[in-house]
Amino acid sequence: MDYETLRDFQEYVGYGKNIAFVHFHKAIEIIYVEKGTLKCTVGQKSYEIKEGELLFVPPIVSHSIDVNNTAISQINIIAPVFSDFYLKVLSKQDIVDPIIRDKAVVDDIVTHLRKIDKDTSQLFKNAIYQYCVVEYLEHVEKKEVSTRRDILVFYNVMNYISDHYSEDLTIGSLAKQFNYSKCYFSGLFKRNIKTSFKKYLNTLRIQKSLEYLKVNTVANVAYMVGYKSAQAYYSNFYQYMHCTPSEYLSKVSDMEIYGEGVKHNE
């Protein structure tokens, strides 16, 4: 399971034969199929998005796109600030069927999204994104719920961890913060995030550390992201990145020299 911190800070547009392994992020993902049929998973369910249909992937919900698909699709990932808006508008409702099939509605949303290019102002983009979220929620099938929704709980949990990842966080302290028993919250976390809290926290800390490495020593970075020793950081770094911090920095340097860019640095 991969938590894409990249998608929490960048907008993204992908057009063509899109594929994706299982991952999740705080941002909303919009999937539109222009040609063919796209097989994907959202949470525990599998979907076939047909030509001319559109689906919104909610924040903090695991999803994937079949690596063998040949469909032509457009993927828009929008800034997490609209996840707050999405969840607020949805309020005490859940989505029953996340796919919009009404051609007029789909065409309207896609037309608005395609007005965005590299020169579009942030103010105009924000207006388009807000319009698309409202338009989607107006037409998607929903149901009322009476209990606390996991998606809202875990969106708040992810925000909390993102703000406090460098502190001495434990599954017990996190459960207490959100008024759960440790045992129940541990199970809830695994069901929703599909990994243990410890593994998730280590993954996040390593991802957060990548920028710090460029201007700090390994020992300093280790403490900056919450590790109690450089050795613990080094071990987790190698486990996640499959290289040492110095090898990673060498790769980054080589890529920048040859102008290839580094994805997390864009």
Side-chain angles (χ1 to χ4, degrees), residues 55-171:
L55 175 148
F56 271 46
V57 179
I60 312 298
V61 173
S62 62
H63 53 285
S64 65
I65 299 175
D66 184 7
V67 297
N68 296 312
N69 90 86
T70 58
I72 302 299
S73 60
Q74 176 176 317
I75 306 292
N76 287 82
I77 298 177
I78 63 180
V81 63
F82 294 98
S83 297
D84 294 335
F85 178 73
Y86 172 96
L87 292 171
K88 184 177 180 179
V89 172
L90 200 54
S91 188
K92 294 182 178 180
Q93 295 179 310
D94 264 339
I95 303 296
V96 175
D97 182 356
I99 298 175
I100 294 287
R101 298 177 177 83
D102 186 307
K103 185 177 185 303
V105 177
V106 173
D107 288 349
D108 184 37
I109 292 175
V110 174
T111 297
H112 276 80
L113 290 174
R114 289 183 175 172
K115 290 178 181 178
I116 296 172
D117 58 37
K118 64 180 181 179
D119 298 319
T120 304
S121 72
Q122 192 61 51
L123 182 64
F124 186 57
K125 284 195 286 187
N126 289 349
I128 288 176
Y129 291 144
Q130 184 164 318
Y131 174 83
C132 290
V133 170
V134 171
E135 187 73 352
Y136 175 79
L137 290 176
E138 280 289 310
H139 292 89
V140 76
E141 185 182 353
K142 301 180 290 292
K143 66 178 180 181
E144 296 290 328
V145 292
S146 57
T147 57
R148 187 158 47 164
R149 297 160 54 238
D150 281 0
I151 182 177
L152 181 56
V153 171
F154 274 88
Y155 183 72
N156 292 332
V157 168
M158 294 301 107
N159 282 336
Y160 184 85
I161 297 173
S162 184
D163 290 340
H164 300 274
Y165 70 91
S166 62
E167 300 172 13
D168 188 20
L169 284 183
T170 65
I171 191 68

Side-chain angles (χ1 to χ4, degrees), residues 18 21 23 29 37 112 118 149 185 189 213 246 252 258:
N18 289 293
F21 295 102
H23 66 287
E29 187 165 324
T37 299
H112 276 80
K118 64 180 181 179
R149 297 160 54 238
F185 186 77
F189 195 95
L213 274 175
S246 60
V252 171
Y258 291 103

